[in-house]
Amino acid sequence: MKDRESRFLASFGSLFPEREWPPTQLRALLDSFQYRELKVGTVLLREGEVCPAVPFVLDGAIRVFKTAETGREITLYRVTAGESCILSSGCVTGIDTFPAMAVAEQKTEAAFLLAATVRRLFAEAATFRDFVLGQYARRMAEVIELVEEVAFRHVDQRLKEWLSTRREGTDDGLVRTTHQVIADQLGTSREVVSRILKDWEERGCLRIARGEIHILPLFESLRV
């Protein structure tokens, strides 16, 4: 526990400065965290569930995504080391139920803080509140970009078609190209292409190397 607590403070200690947290109060707060090790594929929350606690990730990654009736999935964001889940925070401070799905994408270790404590910290601790609001701002910018990619440009669909065409005739599923070349071909930005490819790589559909994209068998069943 002490090792976990030390690693938690290394990542999140700045949220609890001495001017706001006398040692006795900080000790009580640290004792209230619950540490969990999550296997790959562990479901933290399903859409419509009530969020009992907020995860603060020490290692690994949690994927937060929506699933359509057709089965198509879209990644909203990932929570990695040193981050917390903003939808979980919103779920305990205003949103009635969790509006997406949260699953451990990698072997993950996280410290969980109960909803009631999160509500109290948000109301009383300025540094903690600033942290949460800062994460909201960053995630909102990401989601706005995602809406532009998928709803307005349909880049993901065109990217899959482009890669499928380029891999035809190859035995190893290797496409030699760069993200910038793809972006130029599709009329979008390199950052947009890199974001989509990284998501597909995390889902096991392809493998990215410098100047190369290795298309894996799961690519064929990828829904976009």
Side-chain angles (χ1 to χ4, degrees):
M1 180 64 73
K2 290 299 180 183
D3 177 61
R4 286 175 166 177
E5 186 176 289
S6 296
R7 288 190 290 117
F8 173 82
L9 288 173
S11 296
F12 298 101
S14 61
L15 303 185
F16 312 107
E18 291 184 8
R19 67 179 183 276
E20 295 181 11
W21 291 92
T24 53
Q25 292 185 19
L26 180 59
R27 179 73 266 156
L29 176 66
L30 293 176
D31 288 342
S32 68
F33 278 93
Q34 300 174 359
Y35 294 88
R36 291 176 59 189
E37 292 185 354
L38 309 170
K39 296 180 180 179
V40 175
T42 299
V43 177
L44 283 80
L45 282 167
R46 291 180 170 84
E47 186 169 353
E49 292 184 341
V50 175
C51 183
V54 175
F56 294 77
V57 175
L58 305 182
D59 190 35
I62 297 170
R63 178 176 172 238
V64 180
F65 61 96
K66 292 278 287 186
T67 304
E69 292 181 0
T70 60
R72 177 185 175 187
E73 296 178 355
I74 183 168
T75 301
L76 300 177
Y77 59 87
R78 288 180 172 84
V79 187
T80 56
E83 299 177 338
S84 183
C85 178
I86 60 163
L87 282 180
S88 295
S89 299
C91 195
V92 303
T93 57
I95 305 172
D96 291 334
T97 58
F98 199 72
M101 186 100 164
V103 174
E105 190 170 51
Q106 303 172 13
K107 182 180 178 182
T108 300
E109 185 176 13
F112 288 79
L113 194 59
L114 292 176
T117 305
V118 173
R119 285 193 291 269
R120 178 172 62 83
L121 290 179
F122 193 83
E124 300 175 359
T127 304
F128 181 85
R129 183 168 59 250
D130 289 344
F131 169 76
V132 173
L133 293 176
Q135 287 201 116
Y136 269 114
R138 289 192 297 273
R139 296 303 190 196
M140 180 61 71
E142 292 176 9
V143 171
I144 289 173
E145 181 183 5
L146 181 62
V147 169
E148 183 180 46
E149 293 170 15
V150 178
F152 298 156
R153 298 180 180 174
H154 302 289
V155 176
D156 53 352
Q157 184 176 0
R158 290 192 286 128
L159 176 54
K160 184 181 180 185
E161 293 172 355
W162 192 90
L163 288 173
S164 296
T165 301
R166 297 308 185 280
R167 70 166 292 186
E168 292 176 0
T170 63
D171 295 329
D172 55 3
L174 176 61
V175 177
R176 288 186 172 86
T177 188
T178 66
H179 296 191
Q180 186 61 61
V181 168
I182 298 173
D184 292 342
Q185 291 289 321
L186 299 182
T188 185
S189 69
R190 180 183 58 79
E191 290 77 15
V192 167
V193 170
S194 297
R195 176 190 174 101
I196 296 173
L197 290 176
K198 180 62 176 176
D199 180 45
W200 291 352
E201 182 179 44
E202 295 286 352
R203 293 161 67 178
C205 297
L206 47 81
R207 185 171 66 254
I208 302 171
R210 187 176 181 84
E212 296 178 346
I213 299 173
H214 298 258
I215 298 176
L216 303 178
L218 282 178
F219 183 81
E220 294 300 329
S221 60
L222 178 65
R223 296 180 177 181
V224 295

